[in-house]
Amino acid sequence: MEPTIKVRVARDGEWAAVKSLILHPMETGLRKDPETGATVPRHHITRIAYTHNGRPVMVAHCSTAVAKNPWLTFSFRGARAGDRFAVEWIDNLGGTDSLELVLD
Amino acid sequence: MPDFTPRSARLGREQSVTNTSRRTFLQAGLAALAWLLRPGSFIAAGGGVAAPGVAAGAASAAAFAGAFDATTAPDALRLLYGGAHIEPSPAVSLTAPQRADNGADVPIAVAATLEGVRAIAIVIEKNPRPLAAVYETPDGTKPEITCRIKIAESCTVLAVVETAGGLFSAAAEVTVTQGGCA
């Protein structure tokens, strides 16, 4: 599977600024396929967890009203070079992906 | 008397902040208590946001007591906060475009100048399911996010910030020219 998680963490002193993009259709379950007219089933990320050295620094609980390819920025304190940062998501159909990186 | 009328019922219409210190104090205390005791609160579910990884996803979905499935904004807020008072506050800022050409992808930003922020919720009044997202911000995370949401039709967007001292909100009107099937 192609990687779904694109994340950048920029450190500025002890603060780390996170920019996160996850590739996901975020189907509402209300949309009709323009060709077949059939309703496209609901398929959306329900939860994205961001951890710093294993500690949660952000947990995003999402409905179908989060736009396609969920985008999120936030900042957390206490980041140092060499620390681990991880992103993991799960959707309503059990789909999931994760990514871990080491901070510069 | 603390006012337990759900302000959410007047979503977006009332922006003035009434401020007598006693009233605010009482409201803050009671709101915090209600927040702590609300059904399926994170604390009841095992403490803070300490469940790393999405393995706890199912449990956490249950913790929202169906708020994500609510079909009106007042219902969503009641399920999320157990009817606790939500105070419109200048300490919460919600930045959204006044006019969004594409309702399927509307950038918004929420920031709070409050201590002890635990979570930020985004509610879109006229979406089929108004609760769009809840962002948990543990200690050490700045109460400041940007994200992108779908707005089905022109309406009020509400940001609710949960703190140890109560619930505070900011609202913005967004006019949508092409609705994002939300």
Side-chain angles (χ1 to χ4, degrees), chain A residues 45-103:
Chain A
I45 288 177
T46 52
R47 180 178 155 102
I48 314 167
Y50 301 82
T51 55
H52 168 227
N53 288 341
R55 186 185 79 91
V57 289
M58 166 62 72
V59 184
H61 303 268
C62 304
S63 76
T64 55
V66 170
K68 178 181 174 178
N69 300 333
W71 163 261
L72 178 65
T73 70
F74 66 94
S75 299
F76 66 93
R77 200 165 48 197
R80 293 192 178 85
D83 284 358
R84 288 175 298 116
F85 182 79
V87 184
E88 188 179 12
W89 62 259
I90 189 166
D91 70 25
N92 65 319
L93 302 180
T96 184
D97 194 10
S98 62
L99 178 81
E100 182 167 295
L101 52 84
V102 174
L103 300 185

Side-chain angles (χ1 to χ4, degrees), chain B residues 26-57:
Chain B
L26 283 169
Q27 281 172 350
L30 286 165
L33 186 65
W35 189 93
L36 286 171
L37 299 177
R38 80 188 200 274
S41 75
F42 299 121
I43 289 161
V49 290
V54 286

Side-chain angles (χ1 to χ4, degrees), chain B residues 42 51 71 98 103 114 117 136 150 155:
Chain B
F42 299 121
T71 54
Q98 283 190 326
L114 293 162
V117 173
E136 293 182 57
K150 298 171 196 160
C155 69

